[in-house]
Amino acid sequence: IMMVSLKREREDDVDDDENEETVSAKIRRGRVVEDKRSRHCPYLDTINSRSVLDFDFEKLCSISLSHINVYACLICGKYFQVGRGLKSHAYTHSVQFTHHVFLNLHTLKFYCLPDNYEIIDSSLEDITYVLKPTFTKQHIGGLDKQGKLYRAYDGTTYLPGIVGLNNIKANDYANVVLQAFCNVPPRNFFLEEENYKGIRRPPGDIMFLLVQRFGELMRKLWNPRNFKAHVSPHEMLQAVVLCSKKNFQITKQGDAVDFMTWFLNALHGALGGTKKTPSILTKVFQGSMRFTKKLPHPDLLPEEKEALLVTEEYQEQMSESTFLFLTLDLPTAPLYKDEKEQLIIPQVPLFNILAKFNGNTEKEYKTYKENFLKRFQLTKLPPYLVFCIKRFTKNNFFVEKNPTIVNFPITNVDLREYLTEEAQVTEKNTTYDLVANIVHDGKPTEGAYRIHVLHHGTGKWYEMQDLQVIDILPQMITLSEAYIQIWKRQEKDVTNNHKA
């Protein structure tokens, strides 16, 4: 038995999860005995600063998405793959730099290298909590009611949920969307891993990784015991790159609306949702509307058009469709300059572009084969309504941005007039307040994203741009080039009505 134990200690990969035989234990007389050094490791005081242990290292680019056999050096913060055996990078690092304390990111166990024994000490619990925070139902239920500031290990104060995210290179388009969803009801669902832990997916399906990483990120953003007042979204973004088949990347700027559209639908599907089966996302964001009328092709002769218009196929049809967000069209920006040779930046009231959904405004839509004349009218309003303001026009040669400023009130936006008569009877509350406002600044391909978020506990607005978090006056929000907005219906206990 002793020979087998010693052989296992010399293996390169001694941490193969369930097949692992703990190196810190010795087999004596048929029973496992704890290594005496485990509770008296002399190197714990070398972890002299937890400021390097917020796990936001850009070195993660070289790390696989799996936590198995990945070790973090708790002295300098570097990550190492392929175990802690004699030939591993972690072992070499411990000898070369005399850094002795390491953490397995999967098992959350601590080890001393090169001696290779497990460290057991309660003083290390704050490190494991940063990696894997947990929340009680009572804690989650009170998140939107408290405004207590917490102090990070580095001395900075922060509000859980109002936390900066690292911009690794060009991922601010994804950061703002993740920060927006951090303050709406799906957050509560993802803070409790038990809500989605038992969802079964087909063998080989990778999309559930998106759910797991999003849950981990939500828990880190709301962690009241963070070492720093910001969090790394790296693992979340690695999952996005993998699950989107590199359509969305960390090193290349993307479009926030495109990312949000894919992300909502991908999460919905990964949670087992379909067109008929709801998920937490459709319960919160999904509404419905009706439209539309088919038009003859414009190249047809007048007599051919007249003949088609009397057929049943070209009569107005009130077909109904669901939506997760509404696209609002901006009026065409002016091409001329004013007397000071400056480009005119026009302004338009929110209710002007909402007129698209009044049931009277007609707009022509073209596809490859057919033309449609659509009139939209809402038939159901969701608890949280998402607006996407269409700022970009794309063609084969370039992307053009419309800089029009949308004037909107922060609170009490009533959408009753955009509902059908039947829906006006059934919908009791149709008034919304703004809770998140994503902004695009600069040129279409070179611009940057930031977000305004309402903190429900304090009632204050904050602006976040990657790591920067500042408070902002509500009046300043309406001066920005809004791109995505999330509005909350004025109802009591909205968040409590949308549990798994």
Side-chain angles (χ1 to χ4, degrees):
I1 293 175
M2 286 298 295
M3 289 176 65
V4 172
S5 178
L6 290 171
K7 181 181 178 181
R8 292 188 62 85
E9 286 184 15
R10 293 190 181 97
E11 288 181 352
D12 291 340
D13 190 359
V14 294
D15 196 37
D16 235 342
D17 250 6
E18 296 178 3
N19 296 325
E20 173 189 340
E21 182 174 334
T22 307
V23 178
S24 64
K26 305 294 182 183
I27 301 178
R28 297 174 182 170
R29 298 179 184 178
R31 64 191 182 94
V32 176
V33 179
E34 183 182 288
D35 192 311
K36 293 181 179 179
R37 297 173 295 178
S38 291
R39 297 184 185 274
H40 301 90
C41 179
Y43 303 112
L44 291 183
D45 60 348
T46 61
I47 310 175
N48 52 21
S49 175
R50 280 161 167 75
S51 60
V52 299
L53 304 180
D54 54 357
F55 306 103
D56 63 351
F57 320 112
E58 294 184 19
K59 306 174 190 67
L60 276 170
C61 292
S62 62
I63 298 298
S64 67
L65 287 171
S66 172
H67 275 167
I68 297 174
N69 280 344
V70 177
Y71 285 81
C73 172
L74 300 190
I75 315 305
C76 66
K78 288 185 178 179
Y79 277 26
F80 303 95
Q81 287 179 289
V82 198
R84 62 178 192 278
L86 294 177
K87 296 180 182 179
S88 68
H89 295 297
Y91 186 96
T92 304
H93 180 79
S94 69
V95 174
Q96 183 176 357
F97 296 97
T98 63
H99 293 175
H100 300 294
V101 186
F102 291 78
L103 169 64
N104 182 300
L105 297 186
H106 178 62
T107 64
L108 300 185
K109 291 182 178 180
F110 299 88
Y111 294 92
C112 180
L113 297 181
D115 297 344
N116 229 346
Y117 61 85
E118 182 182 351
I119 301 171
I120 301 172
D121 196 288
S122 60
S123 66
L124 300 173
E125 290 177 0
D126 60 336
I127 297 176
T128 56
Y129 191 85
V130 166
L131 270 175
K132 195 171 182 178
T134 54
F135 296 83
T136 64
K137 291 184 182 296
Q138 183 179 6
H139 186 183
I140 294 172
L143 288 179
D144 288 336
K145 299 175 184 177
Q146 64 90 18
K148 179 182 177 182
L149 282 170
Y150 288 84
R151 188 173 297 278
Y153 189 87
D154 63 359
T156 57
T157 56
Y158 69 99
L159 282 167
I162 307 296
V163 177
L165 290 175
N166 283 5
N167 188 344
I168 297 157
K169 189 170 183 182
N171 54 275
D172 55 325
Y173 73 95
N175 282 357
V176 290
V177 173
L178 297 172
Q179 286 167 325
F181 291 154
C182 177
N183 286 274
V184 290
R187 168 207 67 197
N188 292 5
F189 176 84
F190 286 98
L191 285 177
E192 282 191 271
E193 192 175 4
E194 295 298 321
N195 287 335
Y196 57 84
K197 195 174 182 179
I199 294 176
R200 294 184 179 181
R201 299 297 299 167
D205 177 69
I206 63 171
M207 297 305 290
F208 195 69
L209 183 66
L210 211 60
V211 176
Q212 294 173 320
R213 293 291 182 258
F214 185 61
E216 291 172 3
L217 181 62
M218 288 299 101
R219 290 190 286 276
K220 289 178 181 179
L221 286 171
W222 282 92
N223 182 8
R225 293 159 55 182
N226 275 328
F227 290 158
K228 285 187 176 181
H230 65 264
V231 171
S232 171
H234 203 295
E235 289 177 316
M236 174 74 245
L237 296 174
Q238 286 274 35
V240 167
V241 173
L242 181 66
C243 295
S244 71
K245 298 179 180 178
K246 297 185 178 180
N247 285 330
F248 300 101
Q249 299 185 33
I250 299 173
T251 57
K252 184 180 178 181
Q253 184 69 288
D255 184 275
V257 170
D258 291 345
F259 172 70
M260 184 190 71
T261 305
W262 172 84
F263 188 63
L264 284 175
N265 285 287
L267 270 185
H268 173 66
L271 290 169
T274 62
K275 288 185 177 180
K276 295 183 179 180
T277 306
S279 70
I280 182 63
L281 298 168
T282 54
K283 290 177 183 178
V284 171
F285 296 119
Q286 185 171 280
S288 60
M289 60 183 173
R290 67 184 188 188
F291 49 94
T292 173
K293 183 179 180 181
K294 189 174 179 181
L295 292 176
H297 196 279
D299 294 339
L300 294 176
L301 296 173
E303 55 269 21
E304 292 177 326
K305 290 182 182 179
E306 290 179 9
L308 287 172
L309 285 172
V310 297
T311 62
E312 183 179 349
E313 183 182 2
Y314 286 86
Q315 300 305 305
E316 185 165 316
Q317 299 175 0
M318 302 303 288
S319 54
E320 192 161 322
S321 174
T322 58
F323 64 84
L324 289 176
F325 61 87
L326 295 176
T327 301
L328 306 182
D329 302 314
L330 292 173
T332 304
L335 300 176
Y336 304 103
K337 298 181 180 181
D338 62 11
E339 63 276 6
K340 295 182 180 179
E341 293 297 312
Q342 298 294 319
L343 285 174
I344 299 171
I345 300 179
Q347 300 186 27
V348 60
L350 175 65
F351 293 100
N352 283 20
I353 56 178
L354 277 172
K356 173 182 178 179
F357 301 99
N358 62 13
N360 298 317
T361 303
E362 295 182 336
K363 186 173 181 181
E364 189 173 342
Y365 290 81
K366 296 180 181 180
T367 65
Y368 179 70
K369 294 182 178 180
E370 298 173 315
N371 286 25
F372 294 90
L373 191 67
K374 296 185 178 181
R375 292 190 299 157
F376 300 96
Q377 201 165 15
L378 305 180
T379 56
K380 180 186 175 183
L381 289 170
Y384 283 74
L385 185 59
V386 181
F387 291 156
C388 292
I389 299 171
K390 191 175 181 181
R391 292 202 172 273
F392 300 103
T393 305
K394 302 177 183 178
N395 58 35
N396 294 332
F397 303 102
F398 60 90
V399 179
E400 186 177 3
K401 181 181 178 182
N402 189 328
T404 301
I405 300 295
V406 178
N407 296 321
F408 55 88
I410 299 294
T411 59
N412 299 320
V413 171
D414 193 351
L415 301 178
R416 182 169 295 277
E417 64 179 287
Y418 308 107
L419 289 166
T420 61
E421 292 182 3
E422 302 89 337
Q424 288 184 19
V425 175
T426 57
E427 293 279 354
K428 296 180 180 179
N429 198 334
T430 58
T431 304
Y432 286 78
D433 298 331
L434 186 69
V435 294
N437 182 57
I438 293 176
V439 178
H440 182 273
D441 298 309
K443 297 179 181 179
T445 55
E446 302 173 6
Y449 288 92
R450 54 193 168 99
I451 181 173
H452 304 127
V453 175
L454 174 66
H455 186 266
H456 294 87
T458 61
K460 293 181 179 179
W461 280 90
Y462 291 86
E463 179 179 282
M464 293 186 282
Q465 187 168 21
D466 298 327
L467 296 178
Q468 185 180 25
V469 179
I470 59 172
D471 54 357
I472 185 173
L473 294 173
Q475 305 91 288
M476 301 300 294
I477 296 171
T478 60
L479 303 177
S480 59
E481 296 179 18
Y483 192 35
I484 300 173
Q485 295 183 330
I486 301 180
W487 297 78
K488 176 184 177 182
R489 186 162 57 190
Q490 291 182 352
E491 282 185 333
K492 292 183 179 180
D493 300 327
V494 171
T495 56
N496 295 331
N497 294 330
H498 301 285
K499 295 183 178 178

